[in-house]
Amino acid sequence: MGKAPCILLGLLLLAPGCSSAQVEREFPTEEMAEGDLAFRCGRGVFSRAVTTAEEEGVYSHIGLLLRDGEAWKVVHAVPGETEGEDDFERVKMEDVGAFFSAERAVRGCLVHTGLADSATVAALRGKALRAVADSVRFDGDYRLEDSSRVYCTEFVWRLYADAAGIDLSEGRRRFIHLLWINGDVLLPEHLLEYSGNQVYYSF
């Protein structure tokens, strides 16, 4: 995932990994809604680094839930999941089952944000799909001041800010000064703590 595996390198040996039994995921499709947030904790070095940075963090990655016909998808800015030699780290859309697969997630949840206005949801959906179509690149430098590339939390945060005028972070940031990162970073926990959130599914 480019530079990302090095984040918080000095803390990794002390950081506990996420743990959970591998099970088949069954999703509450009758409760799922477009614009919901999808959080997961992965199995790799980067996931351990992110949850260490959060101190009490549970999740290392976040995406946005959208519907595609009868299927539910997650749109997310993801590092380290390129598809072929010519691919690059970017915003992509995949089945919710793939996003939460046992190989990628040992812990996860789905969250309502209270977003209900259909026009706002449509705007959110349009912006997310445009980012997929444009293959917006993943930002391995984690720079909030550069919107041409995005990392996972920044991506969802910008979508909500632009389409709904909602700051899911409510101003929360974590200053990180380590290796190539020197500035305020948005972590998944910052969006999980949004005051309008309701967790309705977790494993």
Side-chain angles (χ1 to χ4, degrees), residues 88-110:
F88 51 89
E89 297 172 335
R90 56 185 169 81
V91 174
K92 71 174 186 177
M93 182 167 68
E94 63 183 341
D95 289 338
V96 66
F99 181 86
F100 283 130
S101 69
E103 293 76 21
R104 292 177 175 175
V106 294
R107 186 178 295 122
C109 71
L110 293 172

Side-chain angles (χ1 to χ4, degrees), residues 1 54 56 99 123 140 156 183-184 192 195 202:
M1 62 174 58
E54 292 173 321
E56 297 183 3
F99 181 86
V156 174
D184 289 327
L192 183 64
S195 57
S202 64

Side-chain angles (χ1 to χ4, degrees), residues 65-84:
L65 201 64
L66 292 182
R67 189 162 190 161
D68 181 20
E70 296 300 313
W72 284 99
K73 306 282 187 176
V74 178
V75 179
H76 56 131
V78 60
E81 294 184 8
T82 55
E83 301 171 5

Side-chain angles (χ1 to χ4, degrees), residues 31-178:
E31 296 183 60
M32 293 160 68
E34 290 197 301
D36 286 354
L37 309 181
F39 292 87
R40 77 183 183 198
C41 179
R43 298 181 175 278
V45 169
F46 181 63
S47 294
R48 293 198 302 273
V50 172
T51 53
T52 297
E54 292 173 321
E55 295 181 351
E56 297 183 3
V58 176
Y59 302 109
S60 58
H61 191 58
I62 180 176
L64 185 82
L65 201 64
L66 292 182
R67 189 162 190 161
D68 181 20
E70 296 300 313
W72 284 99
K73 306 282 187 176
V74 178
V75 179
H76 56 131
V78 60
E81 294 184 8
T82 55
E83 301 171 5
E85 292 183 0
D86 297 328
D87 198 10
F88 51 89
E89 297 172 335
R90 56 185 169 81
V91 174
K92 71 174 186 177
M93 182 167 68
E94 63 183 341
D95 289 338
V96 66
F99 181 86
F100 283 130
S101 69
E103 293 76 21
R104 292 177 175 175
V106 294
R107 186 178 295 122
C109 71
L110 293 172
V111 179
H112 291 315
T113 62
L115 196 63
D117 178 70
S118 59
T120 303
V121 172
L124 191 70
R125 173 186 174 84
K127 288 181 178 294
L129 293 178
R130 173 52 58 189
V132 174
D134 290 346
S135 295
V136 173
R137 289 182 178 267
F138 181 84
D139 183 6
D141 294 320
Y142 297 85
R143 293 166 56 91
L144 282 174
E145 61 270 25
D146 178 11
S147 61
S148 66
R149 299 185 299 155
V150 292
Y151 56 94
C152 66
T153 318
E154 177 192 1
F155 174 59
V156 174
W157 172 70
R158 287 191 184 280
L159 286 177
Y160 262 79
D162 293 345
I166 294 174
D167 178 5
L168 290 177
S169 75
E170 296 174 323
R172 289 176 287 272
R173 302 287 188 277
R174 175 65 52 79
F175 182 82
I176 294 179
H177 176 57
L178 188 67

